[in-house]
Each structure stands twice: as structure tokens, then as C-alpha cells.
Amino acid sequence: MSESMLFPYEKYMTLSESVPVYYPAGDETRAKQVFQILTRATEQLEQLFGQKRPELEILLLAPEDFQIAPHDEMEEVGMPHPYWTDVTSPPTIVVPAEVDLIFGEVTPAKFSFMLYHALVLAFLENDPRPWPEDNPLWADEWQIKFGALWLSQTLDGEKGVINTDLFAEYDDIFEVEPDGKTPNTVRGFDWYEDTSPEDYLCYQLLLEQMAIDLLQKYPAAILPRFLALYRVERDVWLSDEVTSLLASVLGPGGEEWLEDLVYF
């Protein structure tokens, strides 16, 4: 059982599966669904990354327990959504009963996409190769979005955008300005204390479009090839350096192709 001084695991039921799944009484059907989604995705990621599955647990939350759920970032409990956390041992994928309204309509495809996000992060964090000490935010986050979208396409047969309602609501973020770029870009985004959840959501939509465009042109194997060059002993990666690194993985014309992306 996960190590936690506060969370009441003792009142939860447990599925007898290869991965411990804790769930509120009466929620066994959803627990089995989440387990099946993550299990299928795990098999795909093992092949993509060429590494064994990370050790983890799955925790489906009762609504009244969300505020005391294991977490290490306040936005995880401030805006309920599925997430991975390593404050437990082993780490846990936490799945709330409801998702925050900022994420729009939670369709089955979007729910799976959220679970895939958490699982891709679990694999990346389980990779023993070092993370850089200082790097642009997008350098890490495009990896998660790309992996999650690849799983949606591979396992669920999705084509194109997953967050269709949010793309329609925030369509102005893709309007091109006189300089040939969108008002906000993937490389231009950074996280500050006053960054609003809505601003971060729009950045995530830009990343989703980037993942869509990448997967239309390149195979999923670009991700492990990128990691082989990126996850090395190095203190600092600059944004231009990461761009050149990704371009080298894409191959001839890769840098020009990236620069032609109006949101990049």
C-alpha cells in the first residue's frame, strides 16, 4: 500500500490485478475501466521506449477525499484531473471522480487522453537517464503531449484534435499576427507565479496541435530518438538548442519544417 500519513486507504476497496487499484465502494466498474485503459497503454509504451513498465499504483478518488489526495503540486488538487505523483512509494496515478470545468466536456476520448498523459510522465520519470537542471518548459512537455496523442491514435483510433471543444472555444490562439506567428507560441510560453490556469491551458492546446502535426509527418520513434540525445549529463538546454536537437531527429528539412509552424 502507498505510504501516506493522511489518505484513508483503509476505507477503499482494491482490485486483484497486476497493479494495485484502490477505489471507493460501488466504483468497481470504473476502476476496471481505468485499469484496462492504462494496461493497454503500458504495453504500447514499453515497446516505444524499450523499457520495462514503471512500478505504480492507481487511486480512484471519492469526491470527499480529493483535497487530501497524494499530490506534490497545488494545481493537481486545485483543478481536479488525472495526474501522476511520486509523493507515494511506489508512485501513484490519481484519478478524481470529476474533472475541473476548465478542461471542458470530458468525453471518453478526452478521459483516456488524460490518463495517457499521466502514464507517459510515469515512464519518463522512471527513465534512469538524467533530466537537465535548467531547460525551456516546452522541451519536456512536448514529449508528454506527443506520447499521449500517439496512444490516442494507436489505441482509440483518434484522428486529429482530442480537445475539440476547447479548440473551438480558444480558436483565437491560432490567429496569425503580422509577424507570421500566433499571439502565443510553444517556445515563447513560460510559467510565472501570476500565470493563469487558462493561459496554461491555451499553451497545452498549442502543444496538442504540435503533436498532431508531428504525428502526421513523422513516426512515434522520433520520441525515443530525441530522448537518447536529450537525457544526458547536461546542466542547461537553451530553447534554440532543443529546437536544433529536435530538428536533427526529424531529419533533412526538419528545422525548416519546425520554423514554418506558426505556433512554434
Side-chain angles (χ1 to χ4, degrees):
M1 181 179 292
S2 297
E3 298 175 3
S4 174
M5 298 299 292
L6 295 175
F7 195 78
Y9 286 97
E10 68 279 358
K11 77 175 189 179
Y12 278 63
M13 311 295 289
T14 308
L15 285 183
S16 298
E17 300 288 358
S18 56
V19 174
V21 184
Y22 301 98
Y23 65 94
D27 214 1
E28 182 176 359
T29 298
R30 189 168 70 104
K32 289 181 176 179
Q33 176 195 30
V34 169
F35 172 77
Q36 290 168 358
I37 291 171
L38 290 173
T39 297
R40 293 175 65 218
T42 295
E43 293 167 355
Q44 294 293 321
L45 292 177
E46 284 181 309
Q47 295 179 38
L48 178 64
F49 291 125
Q51 69 179 67
K52 292 182 179 180
R53 63 190 62 193
E55 185 180 4
L56 54 79
E57 298 178 344
I58 302 169
L59 173 60
L60 275 68
L61 292 170
E64 64 272 17
D65 291 332
F66 187 71
Q67 292 301 320
I68 57 171
H71 67 278
D72 52 8
E73 300 288 345
M74 284 308 300
E75 57 264 25
E76 292 168 348
V77 292
M79 295 186 299
H81 64 286
Y83 63 89
W84 173 91
T85 181
D86 63 352
V87 297
T88 56
S89 182
T92 302
I93 290 181
V94 179
V95 185
E98 296 181 357
V99 173
D100 194 274
L101 292 175
I102 194 173
F103 297 103
E105 179 188 2
V106 183
T107 62
K110 188 183 293 188
F111 180 65
S112 293
F113 190 46
M114 290 179 168
L115 292 177
Y116 298 154
H117 266 258
L119 186 63
V120 171
L121 178 58
F123 269 83
L124 292 172
E125 291 287 356
N126 192 57
D127 189 324
R129 293 173 294 186
W131 290 100
E133 291 293 327
D134 189 16
N135 59 324
L137 188 64
W138 74 270
D140 293 342
E141 297 206 347
W142 84 268
Q143 305 168 33
I144 304 170
K145 192 70 67 178
F146 181 90
L149 186 68
W150 174 71
L151 289 170
S152 290
Q153 294 182 355
T154 303
L155 296 175
D156 305 330
E158 293 298 319
K159 305 292 184 183
V161 175
I162 304 297
N163 287 288
T164 52
D165 57 333
L166 298 179
F167 268 68
E169 182 177 353
Y170 297 103
D171 60 342
D172 59 324
I173 67 173
F174 292 101
E175 294 178 0
V176 179
E177 297 191 323
D179 64 357
K181 292 290 184 178
T182 54
N184 298 295
T185 62
V186 166
R187 287 182 292 182
F189 182 85
D190 206 349
W191 181 266
Y192 302 100
E193 288 187 3
D194 60 349
T195 299
S196 70
E198 189 175 61
D199 287 343
Y200 185 72
L201 175 65
C202 290
Y203 160 67
Q204 289 293 316
L205 297 180
L206 297 177
L207 283 174
E208 183 174 343
Q209 186 61 57
M210 179 180 172
I212 291 168
D213 290 335
L214 281 168
L215 283 167
Q216 284 180 342
K217 188 172 177 64
Y218 300 100
I222 65 171
L223 179 51
R225 291 204 296 265
F226 175 85
L227 292 172
L229 300 174
Y230 180 69
R231 297 286 290 270
V232 296
E233 288 287 353
R234 179 168 176 154
D235 291 336
V236 178
W237 278 106
L238 301 178
S239 189
D240 286 347
E241 293 173 326
V242 179
T243 300
S244 296
L245 184 65
L246 178 55
S248 72
V249 170
L250 300 183
E255 189 153 9
E256 293 80 2
W257 183 82
L258 285 171
E259 293 296 343
D260 284 341
L261 299 176
V262 297
Y263 52 81
F264 184 71

